[in-house]
C-alpha cells in the first residue's frame, strides 16, 4: 500500500512515500535557518516557506521513490496540532491532490505520527519491531510533552500533558536566555556534557503534584533569575554548568512523571518519540528506569524520525486506512490546530 504523506505542522516542509511501514523516500525542507534570527518559529514566515516548498518536496519524494502520483494508493496529511497557517498549506495541497487524482485522504494527528515513528522501517523492512498493546507512549518535543496510553492502532488516551511550555520549548528558551542558538536542545546537550549538573540548584517542576502533568514556567523563571544574577563573565565561564544544571532538572521532571505513569498503568512497552527523545542522557536514564519496570522501550530507529518528518505520518496512516479511517470526500477535511489525540482519531 503506497501512501504519499505530508506534514507542514511547524517549520519543516515534510513529504514522504511509504509502503506499509517501509519508508521509500523522505524529504524534509527545513526552515530552521530562516527562524533562527527570531529564536523560534515565526508563523507567517513558515506559511510562506511551506507554500514555495510544498510542490518541490512532493516532486522530489516521488522521484526518489521512482513513482508517480497515479501509482500512489492514498494521500495522508497532518491536520493538527500545529501552527494554523502552516497546517493549512499541507492540508490544502493534500485535498487538492486527492481530488485531482481521485485518491482517498487519510487525516493524521501529528502526535499519532510521532508515536508511530518508532515503527518506521527502511526499504528492506528493518528494524522488525512488534506492536504490543497497551503501550505507554511519551512524546517530548518542542511543541508537546505528552504521556499517552496507546490501546490499539487507533485508540489513544492522554494521561499527562504540559500545562504551559513543552520540554523542548523550555530547553529552547533557556538556550536563548544564555545566548545560544536555536534549536537549543541539541546545543544544551552538547555543552552539558562538559558541565556540572549540580552547580546550580534549580526547582524540579511539579515535584509535589501527584498528577501526570508537566509545567515549565516556574523553572523558566527560576533559570532567568539565576542567569540575571550572574555577571557576564561568570555566565560565560559557566555556560556548560548552566546547560548541565538546566538539562538535568528537565530530565528529572520527565523521569519522575514517567515513573509515576508506569507505576499506575500496566503496559507491555514504552515508546519515546519527539525531538527531545534524541537526547542521549535522557535515553540513558529512561533505559535504566524501564529495566526496573521490566518492559521494553522503543525510540525512533533513526535520528530523522525523532524530529518532525512525514514518514511517521505515512506509517500511522497505513494503520488508519486498514481500519477504514479515511475520507472519500477530501473536502470534508479541515485543519485542527488544537487537535487532541483522544478526540480526533
Ligand atoms: O519533534 P520536533 O522536531 O518538533 C516539534 O514537534 O516540536 O522537536 C524539536 C524540539 C526542539 O525544542 C529541540 O530543541 C528539541 O526538540 N531537541 C532536543 C534534542 N534534539 C532536538 N532536545 C534535547 N536534546 C536533543 N538532542
Ligand atoms: Zn513534532
Amino acid at each position: 500500500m503506497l501512501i504519499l504523506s505530508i506534514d507542514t505542522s511547524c517549520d519543516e516542509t515534510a513529504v514522504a512515500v511509504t509502503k506499509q511501514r517501509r519508508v521509500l523516500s523522505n524529504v524534509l525542507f527545513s526552515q530552521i535557518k530562516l527562524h533562527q534570527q527570531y529564536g523560534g518559529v515565526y508563523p507567517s514566515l513558515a506559511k510562506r516557506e511551506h507554500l514555495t516548498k510544498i510542490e518541490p518536496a512532493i516532486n522530489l519524494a516521488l522521484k526518489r521513490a521512482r513513482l508517480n502520483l497515479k501509482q500512489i494508493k492514498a494521500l495522508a496529511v497532518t491536520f493538527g496540532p500545529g501552527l494554523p497557517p502552516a497546517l493549512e498549506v499541507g492540508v490544502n495541497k493534500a485535498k487538492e491532490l486527492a481530488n485531482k487524482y481521485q485518491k482517498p485522504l487519510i487525516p493524521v494527528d501529528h502526535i499519532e505520527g510521532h508515536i508511530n515513528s518508532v515503527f518506521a522501517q527502511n526499504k528492506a523492512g528493518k528494524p522488525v519491531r512488534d506492536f504490543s498493546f497497551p503501550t505507554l507512549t511519551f512524546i517530548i518535543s518542542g511543541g508537546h510533552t505528552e504521556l499517552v496510553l496507546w490501546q490499539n492502532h487507533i485508540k489513544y488516551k492522554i494521561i499527562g500533558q504540559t500545562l504551559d511550555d513543552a520540554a523542548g520549548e523550555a530547553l529552547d528558551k533557556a538556550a536563548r536566555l544564555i545566548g545560544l542558538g536555536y534549536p537549543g536542545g541539541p546545543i544544551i546537550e552538547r555543552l552539558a556534557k562538559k558541565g556540572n549538573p549540580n552547580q546550580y540548584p534549580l526547582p524540579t517542576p511539579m515535584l509535589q503534584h501527584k498528577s501526570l502533568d508537566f509545567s515549565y514556567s516556574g523553572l523558566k523563571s527560576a533559570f532567568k533569575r539565576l542567569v540575571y544574577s550572574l555577571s557576564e563573565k561568570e555566565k560565560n565561564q559557566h555556560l556548560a554548568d548552566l546547560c548541565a544544571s538546566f538539562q538535568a532538572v528537565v530530565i528529572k521532571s520527565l523521569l519522575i512523571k514517567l515513573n509515576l505513569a508506569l507505576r499506575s498503568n500496566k503496559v507491555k512497552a514504552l515508546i519515546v518519540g519527539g525531538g527531545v527523545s534524541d537526547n542521549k542522557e535522557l535515553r540513558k536514564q529512561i533505559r535504566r528506569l524501564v529495566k526496573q519496570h521490566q518492559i521494553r522501550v522503543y525510540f525512533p530507529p533513526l535520528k530523522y524520525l525523532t524530529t518532525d518528518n512525514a514518514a511517521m505520518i505515512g506509517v500511522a496512516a497505513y494503520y488508519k486506512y486498514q481500519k477504514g479511517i479515511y475520507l472519500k470526500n477530501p473536502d470534508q477535511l479541515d485543519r485542527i490546530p488544537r487537535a487532541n489525540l483522544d478526540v480526533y482519531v
Side-chain angles (χ1 to χ4, degrees):
M1 157 119 196
L2 293 165
I3 296 177
L4 180 106
S5 49
I6 300 173
D7 184 299
T8 60
S9 59
C10 192
D11 58 349
E12 327 271 6
T13 314
V15 180
V17 178
T18 49
K19 184 177 184 183
Q20 283 84 299
R21 284 159 65 183
R22 297 177 189 207
V23 183
L24 303 188
S25 66
N26 183 66
V27 171
L28 192 86
F29 289 149
S30 174
Q31 302 177 3
I32 283 184
K33 286 220 159 55
L34 193 72
H35 298 288
Q36 254 161 1
Q37 54 188 311
Y38 305 101
V41 182
Y42 200 92
S44 57
L45 212 59
K47 175 178 177 169
R48 210 182 62 197
E49 270 302 292
H50 284 312
L51 279 171
T52 58
K53 295 288 164 56
I54 188 77
E55 271 184 32
I58 291 170
N59 293 337
L60 189 58
L62 286 166
K63 188 173 161 211
R64 286 190 182 156
R66 296 171 196 273
L67 292 163
N68 61 52
L69 265 168
K70 287 193 191 107
Q71 294 167 290
I72 297 289
K73 173 100 179 166
L75 288 137
V77 67
T78 300
F79 63 89
L83 297 173
L87 284 168
E88 190 178 292
V89 177
V91 167
N92 285 347
K93 182 50 86 178
K95 281 161 77 168
E96 177 197 316
L97 294 177
N99 274 325
K100 185 170 169 195
Y101 291 90
Q102 297 285 296
K103 309 277 179 192
L105 180 57
I106 313 163
V108 177
D109 182 291
H110 183 73
I111 300 298
E112 191 177 20
H114 275 300
I115 292 172
N116 279 272
S117 70
V118 307
F119 293 106
Q121 298 175 327
N122 65 15
K123 282 181 207 156
K126 296 275 167 42
V128 181
R129 289 175 166 180
D130 287 332
F131 297 90
S132 46
F133 298 111
T135 289
L136 180 67
T137 74
F138 197 9
I139 303 307
I140 322 165
S141 72
H144 308 276
T145 309
E146 290 193 13
L147 281 163
V148 183
L149 270 183
W150 198 18
Q151 287 147 326
N152 63 43
H153 277 298
I154 52 166
K155 197 161 170 225
Y156 305 87
K157 186 174 172 215
I158 297 173
I159 57 171
Q161 59 193 325
T162 183
L163 304 175
D164 38 57
D165 288 352
E169 193 178 358
L171 288 163
D172 292 340
K173 286 180 177 170
R176 186 161 48 170
L177 203 66
I178 50 177
L180 306 175
Y182 169 83
I187 306 170
I188 288 188
E189 176 177 32
R190 188 162 38 82
L191 286 171
K193 282 188 193 133
K194 294 179 227 135
N196 172 9
N198 301 312
Q199 176 78 24
Y200 298 110
L202 289 163
T204 308
M206 303 294 275
L207 193 57
Q208 310 304 336
H209 290 251
K210 295 231 165 6
S211 81
L212 294 173
D213 290 331
F214 305 85
S215 165
Y216 291 100
S217 57
L219 173 62
K220 190 174 64 185
S221 307
F223 191 65
K224 205 183 232 175
R225 278 195 301 275
L226 166 67
V227 172
Y228 288 168
S229 75
L230 302 176
S231 70
E232 200 60 26
K233 189 171 161 220
E234 262 176 310
K235 198 178 80 181
N236 291 332
Q237 265 173 356
H238 289 282
L239 266 186
D241 297 328
L242 285 165
C243 289
S245 302
F246 192 83
Q247 177 179 281
V249 77
V250 169
I251 293 179
K252 186 175 169 199
S253 75
L254 296 170
L255 267 282
I256 286 172
K257 297 298 171 183
L258 177 59
N259 188 29
L260 214 56
L262 286 171
R263 271 209 230 144
S264 46
N265 293 279
K266 196 115 198 71
V267 292
K268 295 192 175 137
L270 170 69
I271 282 173
V272 189
V276 184
S277 76
D278 193 42
N279 188 286
K280 301 294 168 292
E281 179 59 28
L282 174 71
R283 286 193 183 201
K284 194 170 95 189
Q285 295 196 30
I286 290 179
R287 285 207 174 92
R288 208 181 293 149
L289 180 71
V290 295
K291 251 192 195 153
Q292 293 164 16
H293 289 272
Q294 297 184 318
I295 56 165
R296 294 199 65 155
V297 59
Y298 295 114
F299 295 99
L302 292 168
K303 193 179 163 77
Y304 85 86
L305 291 161
T306 61
T307 44
D308 289 350
N309 65 87
M312 66 186 192
I313 303 302
V315 176
Y318 168 63
Y319 292 101
K320 295 187 87 161
Y321 186 83
Q322 301 296 310
K323 303 277 177 191
I325 302 177
Y326 58 88
L327 301 169
K328 288 195 187 100
N329 176 7
D331 292 329
Q332 287 172 320
L333 185 66
D334 202 358
R335 60 179 163 79
I336 306 178
R338 295 180 155 271
N340 187 341
L341 197 52
D342 341 47
V343 185
Y344 302 102
V345 278

